[in-house]
Amino acid sequence: MDTDFQLHDNEGRRKYLTPEERKTFEEAAKNLDRDSMMFCHTLLHTGGRISEVLELTPVRFDLVRKEIIIRSLKKRSEKAKYRAVPVPDRLLRDLKLVYDLERLQKDKELKNQRIWSWSRENGWKKVKKAMKLAGIDLEAPHACPKGLRHGFGVHLAMAGVPESQIQQLLGHSSREVTAIYTNVLGLEKRELISKIW
């Protein structure tokens, strides 16, 4: 199987953030400028691909259902596919305040403009900066936006979220890809198994 669809690289190094690293990353991102922090927190809590999060607009934040609506960019079809990802109250509250989302959603011109107008490369640099502040080895394969996405998938699996829901939340087109998260390895597997001890 292609290593893109595995949680470890060819040398056996993990490609996802552990639960502790996720917490450390979230705290470290608070030391960035406001926009960078919000971007990093949105990546962390949605499992979105960097390009998917960069294209978010005010209308994609469902303030009533407390979800962020992400367009799946990997799906190869003529019709756009969207997925609704529930997010923590604190994240939505912060996004709402920082970007004045209620006002932007009512503005005909601004409601469909991107929240973060950076390039993919700039977004990637912001994530790396937060990783560095979190003390994560920047040479490690998980010290990247995809490491956040994989960490989100592992986090869902550890919480007992059914595979079909993980597939939907991550926007996977096949269950084969999603299955990597239910085959959790390392300390995460130990933590899951320890529940029966």
Side-chain angles (χ1 to χ4, degrees):
M1 184 188 279
D2 185 341
T3 56
D4 278 349
F5 301 120
Q6 294 181 21
L7 291 177
H8 293 84
D9 68 9
N10 288 330
E11 296 174 16
R13 298 177 303 168
R14 97 185 123 72
K15 294 166 46 178
Y16 61 92
L17 271 69
T18 64
E20 189 56 43
E21 287 171 330
R22 284 172 49 84
K23 287 178 192 167
T24 305
F25 175 85
E26 184 170 25
E27 284 304 309
K30 292 177 182 176
N31 295 304
L32 302 176
D33 64 88
R34 187 186 68 176
D35 287 324
S36 298
M37 175 188 73
M38 296 313 307
F39 176 70
C40 287
H41 285 180
T42 302
L43 275 172
L44 178 72
H45 290 292
T46 63
R49 296 172 181 93
I50 195 165
S51 298
E52 293 172 337
V53 172
L54 279 172
E55 76 147 27
L56 287 173
T57 62
V59 295
R60 301 269 201 78
F61 295 87
D62 188 330
L63 303 176
V64 175
R65 295 187 55 130
K66 299 179 180 179
E67 298 173 330
I68 296 177
I69 313 304
I70 297 176
R71 183 167 68 105
S72 295
L73 295 179
K74 273 260 179 129
K75 305 249 174 145
R76 309 268 191 249
S77 69
E78 292 176 20
K79 187 176 179 185
K81 304 250 185 208
Y82 294 88
R83 62 187 189 271
V85 180
V87 294
D89 288 345
R90 68 185 183 279
L91 174 62
L92 206 55
R93 181 195 66 230
D94 292 347
L95 286 162
K96 185 175 160 183
L97 290 172
V98 168
Y99 298 108
D100 197 5
L101 289 175
E102 290 176 319
R103 181 185 63 79
L104 291 182
Q105 288 177 346
K106 294 173 187 170
D107 188 304
K108 289 181 182 179
E109 288 184 25
L110 300 176
K111 69 180 182 178
N112 290 308
Q113 289 193 9
R114 289 171 44 195
I115 297 287
W116 299 286
S117 58
W118 316 314
S119 67
R120 193 174 183 281
E121 183 180 348
N122 282 337
W124 202 91
K125 286 178 182 176
K126 292 169 189 303
V127 171
K128 285 294 248 190
K129 188 172 183 181
M131 294 275 183
K132 183 176 182 179
L133 291 171
I136 295 169
D137 177 5
L138 296 183
E139 298 302 314
H142 61 279
C144 62
K146 195 149 194 178
L148 290 171
R149 179 170 166 77
H150 285 320
F152 181 72
V154 168
H155 187 69
L156 293 173
M158 288 180 65
V161 175
E163 190 174 308
S164 60
Q165 285 296 310
I166 297 173
Q167 180 180 357
Q168 182 182 9
L169 290 169
L170 288 172
H172 291 154
S173 54
S174 81
R175 289 186 77 146
E176 180 185 67
V177 175
T178 307
I180 68 169
Y181 300 108
T182 54
N183 295 323
V184 183
L185 302 172
L187 294 173
E188 291 69 35
K189 188 173 192 177
R190 180 178 176 78
E191 187 175 321
L192 281 173
I193 292 172
S194 71
K195 292 177 182 178
I196 65 169
W197 296 341

